[in-house]
Amino acid sequence: MNILIADDHELVHNTLQTAFNKAFENEKHSFLQCINCKDIYDLVENQKDDGKIIHYALLDISMPSYDEKNIFSGKEAASYIKNLMPNCKIIFITGVATTISIIEIVQQIRPNGFLYKSDFYVDELARVIKQISNGNTFRSINIDRQYQQGLESKVLLEPINRKIFSLYDLGYKIK
């Protein structure tokens, strides 16, 4: 099983590997590690060119971008991966997420899993990974709460407003 772990904090990689090893104790894994969006793009291209697939992609939202390919965050990286490997299970594990990014990721990417790093321990993450492998989806309580609150806000329901907020999050200035 090929597992992509993409997070710009390398310490997180070991924790995610440990959780995956606990979830699938008797299976052999190949961990593919990335720390930015360019690494993700290059790795996915190499896998595709070699005729290999990625079974799971564990992505952080906020990572250094790859502007040349319009991959500005884990969100665009997930879209890119799903486009090339539609059966890849996408799991977002992030430290910080705006309500806008949560709404967009849930509605556009439809990840198999979505949680804050602070919402889990290794054993619980292993259980979540196993649940996802059985065809279920998972959103941590805090991600789900933020998503539901965002849906209740009428200003966030308008696509143009979400686009403006997303550009603002990327550092664009509003004049």
Side-chain angles (χ1 to χ4, degrees):
M1 197 168 13
N2 292 321
I3 303 152
L4 168 63
I5 297 176
D7 193 298
D8 58 336
H9 298 97
E10 292 186 51
L11 290 174
V12 172
H13 292 230
N14 290 335
T15 302
L16 297 177
Q17 285 181 18
T18 300
F20 238 95
N21 285 330
K22 283 186 173 223
F24 301 105
E25 293 176 306
N26 299 322
E27 294 186 36
K28 186 176 177 178
H29 320 312
S30 176
F31 292 105
L32 312 165
Q33 298 184 20
C34 298
I35 59 171
N36 58 52
C37 293
K38 182 182 183 330
D39 289 351
I40 295 170
Y41 178 85
D42 292 342
L43 187 136
V44 171
E45 283 295 313
N46 288 337
Q47 290 291 111
K48 180 187 72 154
D49 291 345
D50 291 344
K52 297 178 182 175
I53 62 169
I54 297 171
H55 299 91
Y56 289 85
L58 288 78
L59 306 169
D60 192 359
I61 295 171
S62 179
M63 289 184 289
S65 66
Y66 187 27
D67 296 345
E68 293 82 9
K69 296 294 181 179
N70 295 320
I71 301 175
F72 304 109
S73 69
K75 178 184 150 206
E76 291 85 13
S79 291
Y80 173 71
I81 293 166
K82 283 187 79 160
N83 187 42
L84 294 177
M85 300 176 186
N87 293 325
C88 179
K89 295 191 184 301
I90 305 289
I91 303 171
F92 280 97
I93 301 173
T94 191
V96 178
T98 64
T99 302
I100 292 292
S101 63
I102 290 173
I103 290 171
E104 287 188 343
I105 287 169
V106 169
Q107 292 181 351
Q108 295 171 11
I109 308 298
R110 301 186 188 283
N112 302 88
F114 201 166
L115 55 153
Y116 281 117
K117 292 174 184 172
S118 60
D119 286 345
F120 72 90
Y121 296 100
V122 171
D123 290 337
E124 183 177 347
L125 181 57
R127 183 187 58 74
V128 167
I129 291 168
K130 199 68 170 166
Q131 179 181 338
I132 290 169
S133 75
N134 291 328
N136 298 308
T137 58
F138 178 85
R139 266 189 253 155
S140 68
I141 292 170
N142 289 322
I143 290 286
D144 197 51
R145 181 180 303 128
Q146 195 169 347
Y147 175 73
Q148 295 301 329
Q149 288 172 348
L151 292 180
E152 292 169 7
S153 169
K154 295 192 186 307
V155 76
L156 297 180
L157 291 178
E158 296 296 323
I160 189 68
N161 291 341
R162 288 200 310 267
K163 183 67 174 172
I164 291 168
F165 286 128
S166 294
L167 291 171
Y168 185 73
D169 282 345
L170 290 173
Y172 289 89
K173 302 295 179 207
I174 297 175
K175 293 183 180 180

